[in-house]
Amino acid sequence: MPKAKYEQIYHILKDKIESGEYPAQALLPGEHTLIAELDCSRGTLRRAVSELVREGYVQTMQGKGVRNIFEPARQATFTLGTIETFAESAARNHWTGRSEVLLFDELEADEALAARTGFAPGTPLYYVRRLHYLNDRPLIMNHSYFRQDVACGLTRAIAEGSIYRYLENELHIAIINSKRVVTVEKITPLDQQYLDMGDCNCLAVVSSQTYNGDGVMFEYTQSRHHPNFFRFQDNAVRRQGSRAEADDAARGA
Amino acid sequence: MPKAKYEQIYHILKDKIESGEYPAQALLPGEHTLIAELDCSRGTLRRAVSELVREGYVQTMQGKGVRNIFEPARQATFTLGTIETFAESAARNHWTGRSEVLLFDELEADEALAARTGFAPGTPLYYVRRLHYLNDRPLIMNHSYFRQDVACGLTRAIAEGSIYRYLENELHIAIINSKRVVTVEKITPLDQQYLDMGDCNCLAVVSSQTYNGDGVMFEYTQSRHHPNFFRFQDNAVRRQGSRAEADDAARGA
DNA sequence: GCCGATTTGTCCGTATGTATC
DNA sequence: CGATACATACGGACAAATCGG
């Protein structure tokens, strides 16, 4: 249970929407009503609502109200606003997942690697290559690079378990944010060798750069997903002052 | 120029960050300093900063400050937080784009189409199939369905131009938000026939449901992109109370 | 077409909590 | 411990959009 009041109110509203307490396509009670019901300030309520807007649960319209546009069949089954990950897919489908460390190494970033990852050339790194199984099918391969001066003491044994638990609980590294890019790439011989690709010759690639509390990008991971086990959800909200031309562009038209 | 003050301040800070006025990896001036400089309230400044956090320009840390984590090479070339679209790709690479309407039709949603799009079975729809060229290479195919009772009067001639300009300027429809899902799919014979796929047998698919001001989902579009011309950027921000386990999950570990 | 009631959007000032150093 | 910085919460005021009479 989150302690921040706006998070509590966000969850209360979200639950009411998901449970059907507010009729679909209808307007929610007005702000002052909700403020009285939930016993909070206007700013707190508005912060909770804005999060629901971002997630595509409601839409707000000045002068009209807040409309419930939640769709159970399409939204209830998975988390909004993030890439559906290995663990989430597994949990949602009641599947069993396991991981395997294929390679653990120490190396220095050469020019090519530096350009791809964003590390400075010559940076000492750990390299971890991991394979993730879903129901015993190898479907995701991760290539991770960690700065040795931040993730110091990382070993293959740790990588067999949870690297992030080690970084946070043992080294007390604060993980702040992670920049990610999703692309689609042709498979490589390495993908071919390890992943159960069937007759697909492309896969979904998530490249992420992770930062600690000192602003240091200490991790670069490239996660290569079988197409059938990749899904990304998003909700684009229209900006107040935009025009039709901008919308055409924003939709690829 | 946006009229809202928090948007102005957001752009001022963004420009200063992009132009290198604030040193990379360093902390920005404290809130009270910026408030004095920019002549605004604390809430207004914080709203601007929170947007920069969402876009991966800065990271905030309670008790420490706001750190600049902008990376010119990786962020300056394209817009953050959205799918890089046809028009954006074209503009960024100084390429020429054109579109072609392959098919314009009126139909009713059958069970299969209803399940895929989210329209109720039996809903009268317009169907528009469009092909987008980049430098004379056909790279994106769009399948769009519009509710006839909302987008009434849509014709093939309008679709040859800008559908959204018609919806907004002629019909005065308010476009509020758009739920999108990104997946990777095998190519179909239709893709094969029209798109310049080379030896790729998969493509990036963006499915979007667009809502108007009455909360009506009036458009469903499936946009099928050549892998080489698709890119999605995102920034995952850590929630205050989360743990290592959650992070592992959020990163697919 | 105008006017007033309602509703959301923006902005401000202030007080208090909490993490860091 | 105190000083500093960000995080949360509140209440008030006005602006802007919508809708009905």
Side-chain angles (χ1 to χ4, degrees):
Chain A
M1 167 113 152
K3 59 173 186 281
K5 196 166 182 177
Y6 75 90
E7 290 245 1
Q8 294 176 24
I9 289 176
Y10 157 77
H11 280 111
I12 291 171
L13 293 174
K14 189 173 180 176
D15 287 346
K16 285 195 179 185
I17 290 169
E18 287 176 344
S19 69
E21 192 155 336
Y22 295 130
Q25 310 307 314
L27 297 180
L28 268 58
E31 279 180 347
H32 74 275
T33 309
L34 289 175
I35 289 168
E37 277 181 20
L38 299 166
D39 187 36
C40 68
S41 73
R42 187 154 176 245
T44 303
L45 173 67
R46 285 177 62 75
R47 183 160 179 185
V49 170
S50 75
E51 188 62 19
L52 294 170
V53 169
R54 222 175 56 77
E55 295 183 353
Y57 273 55
V58 299
Q59 52 181 206
T60 63
M61 287 152 302
Q62 188 173 168
K64 292 178 79 172
V66 179
R67 179 172 264 108
N68 174 10
I69 55 167
F70 174 75
E71 295 187 32
R74 288 176 178 269
Q75 293 181 309
T77 47
F78 53 92
T79 313
L80 277 153
T82 66
I83 293 162
E84 189 183 39
T85 61
F86 177 69
E88 288 167 351
S89 303
R92 180 162 69 89
N93 297 300
H94 305 290
W95 285 345
T96 58
R98 66 186 173 87
S99 302
E100 182 184 331
V101 175
L102 296 181
L103 193 60
F104 184 91
D105 205 359
E106 305 188 10
L107 50 82
E108 282 195 358
D110 59 17
E111 286 292 338
L113 185 63
R116 218 179 66 232
T117 61
F119 290 118
T123 308
L125 302 170
Y126 297 112
Y127 170 55
V128 186
R129 184 187 296 165
R130 281 182 294 184
L131 196 58
H132 295 291
Y133 294 80
L134 230 55
N135 276 10
D136 291 321
R137 286 183 64 192
L139 295 172
I140 302 170
M141 180 147 50
N142 277 12
H143 304 267
S144 297
Y145 302 84
F146 295 89
R147 280 184 68 133
Q148 286 188 20
D149 57 350
V150 176
C152 55
L154 190 62
T155 63
R156 184 180 185 118
I158 294 169
E160 305 269 2
S162 169
I163 294 178
Y164 264 57
R165 191 147 41 215
Y166 173 72
L167 297 178
E168 278 212 301
N169 298 353
E170 304 298 321
L171 299 183
H172 300 102
I173 295 172
I175 293 109
I176 305 292
N177 69 314
S178 189
K179 302 181 186 179
R180 300 181 294 189
V181 177
V182 180
T183 54
V184 178
E185 293 184 13
K186 292 284 291 291
I187 58 173
T188 64
L190 194 63
D191 298 322
Q192 187 74 273
Q193 181 183 347
Y194 285 104
L195 295 175
D196 183 5
M197 292 300 298
D199 55 352
C200 294
N201 66 9
C202 294
L203 33 68
V205 178
V206 182
S207 306
S208 64
Q209 299 174 300
T210 306
Y211 291 74
N212 70 3
D214 298 323
V216 176
M217 196 264 284
F218 71 93
E219 177 197 1
Y220 173 88
T221 288
Q222 190 184 80
S223 192
R224 304 173 73 84
H225 297 240
H226 188 289
N228 295 356
F229 298 86
F230 179 80
R231 180 186 180 92
F232 186 92
Q233 185 157 332
D234 184 38
N235 182 52
V237 181
R238 183 144 204 271
R239 310 205 130 195
Q240 290 285 27
S242 57
R243 319 234 161 170
E245 291 77 19
D247 271 314
D248 268 353
R251 302 163 19 75
Chain B
M1 168 111 153
K3 58 175 185 283
K5 196 165 182 178
Y6 74 90
E7 291 237 355
Q8 294 177 25
I9 290 176
Y10 157 77
H11 280 112
I12 291 170
L13 293 175
K14 188 173 179 174
D15 287 345
K16 286 196 179 183
I17 290 169
E18 287 177 344
S19 69
E21 192 156 334
Y22 296 130
Q25 312 305 316
L27 296 179
L28 269 58
E31 279 179 346
H32 73 275
T33 309
L34 289 174
I35 289 169
E37 276 180 21
L38 299 165
D39 187 36
C40 69
S41 75
R42 185 138 181 266
T44 303
L45 173 66
R46 285 177 61 75
R47 184 161 178 183
V49 170
S50 75
E51 189 62 18
L52 294 170
V53 169
R54 223 176 55 78
E55 295 183 353
Y57 274 53
V58 299
Q59 52 180 206
T60 62
M61 287 152 300
Q62 188 174 168
K64 293 176 80 170
V66 179
R67 192 182 301 277
N68 174 10
I69 55 167
F70 173 76
E71 294 187 33
R74 288 176 180 268
Q75 292 181 311
T77 48
F78 53 93
T79 315
L80 277 154
T82 66
I83 293 162
E84 189 182 40
T85 62
F86 177 69
E88 288 167 352
S89 303
R92 180 162 70 87
N93 297 300
H94 305 290
W95 284 347
T96 58
R98 66 187 171 86
S99 302
E100 183 184 329
V101 175
L102 296 181
L103 191 60
F104 184 91
D105 205 0
E106 304 187 11
L107 50 82
E108 281 195 358
D110 60 16
E111 287 292 339
L113 185 63
R116 216 178 68 230
T117 62
F119 290 118
T123 308
L125 301 170
Y126 296 113
Y127 170 56
V128 186
R129 184 187 296 165
R130 281 182 294 184
L131 195 58
H132 295 292
Y133 292 81
L134 230 55
N135 275 10
D136 291 321
R137 285 183 65 191
L139 295 172
I140 303 170
M141 180 148 48
N142 276 12
H143 304 267
S144 296
Y145 301 86
F146 296 89
R147 279 184 68 132
Q148 286 188 21
D149 57 351
V150 176
C152 55
L154 190 62
T155 63
R156 183 179 185 118
I158 294 169
E160 305 268 3
S162 169
I163 294 177
Y164 264 58
R165 190 147 43 216
Y166 173 72
L167 296 178
E168 277 213 303
N169 299 352
E170 303 299 321
L171 300 183
H172 299 102
I173 295 172
I175 293 108
I176 305 292
N177 69 315
S178 189
K179 301 181 187 180
R180 300 181 294 191
V181 177
V182 180
T183 54
V184 177
E185 294 185 12
K186 292 285 292 290
I187 59 173
T188 65
L190 194 63
D191 298 322
Q192 188 74 274
Q193 181 183 346
Y194 284 104
L195 295 174
D196 183 5
M197 292 300 298
D199 55 354
C200 294
N201 67 9
C202 294
L203 32 69
V205 178
V206 182
S207 306
S208 64
Q209 299 173 299
T210 307
Y211 291 74
N212 71 3
D214 298 323
V216 176
M217 196 265 284
F218 70 94
E219 178 197 0
Y220 173 89
T221 288
Q222 189 183 81
S223 191
R224 304 174 72 85
H225 297 241
H226 188 288
N228 295 355
F229 298 86
F230 179 80
R231 180 186 181 92
F232 187 92
Q233 184 157 331
D234 183 39
N235 181 52
V237 182
R238 182 144 204 270
R239 312 204 128 193
Q240 290 286 24
S242 58
R243 318 233 165 182
E245 291 77 19
D247 271 315
D248 267 354
R251 301 163 20 73

